[in-house]
Amino acid sequence: MSGPNTAAPAAPDPYFPANGDARYRVHRYELALEYRPGPNRLAGTARLSAIAGRAPLTEFHLNLAEFKTSRVLVNGRAPHYTHRGGRLRIRPAKPLPPGAAFTVEVHWAGNPKPVRSPWGGIGWEELTDGALVASQPVGAPSWYPCNDRPADKASYQISVNTPSAYTVVVGGRLLTRTTRASTTTWVYEQSAPTSSYLVGLSIGMYQTVLLGDPGLGGVPQSAHVPAHLLPRFSRDFARQPAMMQLFEELFGPYPFGEYAVVVADEELDVPVEAQGLSLFGANHVDGVRGSERLIAHELAHQWFGNSVTIADWRHIWLNEGFAKYAEWLWSERSGGRTAHELAAAAHRLLASQAQDLRLADPGRKLMFDDRLYQRGGLAVHAVRCALGEDAFFRMLRDWASVHRHGVVTTAGFTAHVARYAADPVDDLLAAWLYEPSLPPLPPAPAPPSMPARPSHPPTNGGPAGRGRVSG
């Protein structure tokens, strides 16, 4: 079984070599933040509990944007450190022995802003009234010091103090909310292993509502929405509980304790997933379910991307291809177009475009190209057609179960698929994953042995998606 951090690579991420440090791993972050929306002022203290790797740790680094760093401690002692270019380089007073547990404390303050990336600014975004964090892939250092690599998963406790008029939403369980004078402190716990880019946070003027009745053993689902958007939201997200039910049937039990969605009171280019939380813009709420496929996409990421996490960014198709295919499964099972019809539309779209994307290692420039999403969904569909219905859905559920809260690679996926195939699938997988040219559309799968149409109202699933969806 691939448990938390066990498959962590020993080398830097080839797409982002300046982010993350493979010489150690963090198993817990405790963040205490104070945020004032007016001046966009953030002050914080972070305590990291970490474990050194196989070699003595004479120095290590954290990623942190251009804040003022006032104090750093390692095991309670002041180390030598420098903070330049988004890196906090730390040299402990004494080298840390191999495998040693150690703590790091960092105090920082400043005006948070997105970090620069090939896709523009990402991370902390100051809104008209509040803030939100959308960190994929390297935006986490825009607001806290972290070992910013997807394979380094840790638990989190996050405390945020802000003016009492604002609601603070963090992925995880709300432990306490304490008001003193004009400020309120919100404390959240995310006990499941979490990648730094998946730590979500939103601060705004929200009404909090519950989605559906989870019942005994069900998943609590909440939403945080500007009051004037609630009527439209209520229609657009009405079927999210049915999505949760379907995805638990197909993928296995929901991997976290709760699920929340936030709708920001301004437009966002794309919705973005965080662990136990998804962030949408006001433009994704139209009252006619125009973004329903995106609701399914973000929910599916809780299994594929958040619980089952890629070892490095070369494998991003394992996040996006599975979330894209979940859109098609939702459409198929809720009265819309079948997955094969949607796959055929995606195949036609890709056939008209450049054939220069290698799905299993697209390169940094193409890792968010829409073709990766479409071709990723098609690759999953090709596996379904090759395995047959029963074997495919067993494979899918076991992939999510065996690697729950773990770290995966494309090679691990191909080996996993082979165990469910009656005939060799090496050539099929090589063509879809490693060759730039588009393979033929596979024949439609045989009729499923499971019920294909639960009694949900017809979906508004549109054509194969345009533009980048979630991270």
Side-chain angles (χ1 to χ4, degrees), residues 211-268:
L211 288 170
D213 179 2
L216 207 57
V219 180
Q221 299 175 61
S222 60
H224 308 275
V225 185
H228 69 97
L229 293 177
L230 271 172
R232 279 184 279 166
F233 172 88
S234 297
R235 177 167 174 77
D236 290 339
F237 282 74
R239 301 205 298 174
Q240 184 182 281
M243 289 178 191
M244 179 71 78
Q245 184 180 356
L246 174 64
F247 290 170
E248 286 201 300
E249 174 195 334
L250 299 182
F251 310 149
Y254 178 75
F256 307 111
E258 53 283 301
Y259 182 58
V261 295
V262 169
V263 177
D265 200 6
E266 53 192 83
E267 294 194 356
L268 302 180

Side-chain angles (χ1 to χ4, degrees), residues 62-216:
L62 295 165
N63 294 104
L64 179 64
E66 304 305 315
F67 292 97
K68 180 181 178 183
T69 308
S70 59
R71 190 181 193 198
V72 177
L73 299 173
V74 176
N75 290 336
R77 298 180 63 186
H80 176 76
Y81 72 91
T82 60
H83 184 198
R84 285 192 300 271
R87 275 189 171 191
L88 181 59
R89 298 177 182 272
I90 300 171
R91 186 179 301 133
K94 279 179 60 177
L96 300 166
F102 64 99
T103 60
V104 184
E105 189 175 310
V106 181
H107 298 240
W108 76 100
N111 299 107
K113 61 184 179 181
V115 296
R116 288 194 298 258
S117 83
W119 309 277
I122 53 173
W124 186 284
E125 280 191 50
E126 182 185 8
L127 303 178
T128 304
D129 195 9
L132 64 78
V133 170
S135 290
Q136 182 172 264
V138 289
S142 68
W143 64 290
Y144 74 101
C146 56
N147 190 10
D148 191 31
R149 45 199 293 267
D152 196 34
K153 301 172 73 169
S155 66
Y156 281 78
Q157 186 173 107
I158 300 177
S159 164
V160 183
N161 177 272
T162 202
S164 296
Y166 293 87
T167 297
V168 175
V169 186
V170 176
R173 183 164 63 96
L174 178 62
L175 298 182
T176 61
R177 184 178 64 189
T178 307
T179 298
R180 290 193 176 91
S182 60
T183 67
T184 298
T185 300
W186 306 68
V187 182
Y188 284 85
E189 174 78 24
Q190 177 55 269
S191 57
T194 308
S195 297
S196 51
Y197 85 92
L198 288 170
V199 182
L201 177 145
S202 184
I203 299 170
M205 301 285 192
Y206 299 128
Q207 296 273 340
T208 298
V209 295
L210 300 180
L211 288 170
D213 179 2
L216 207 57

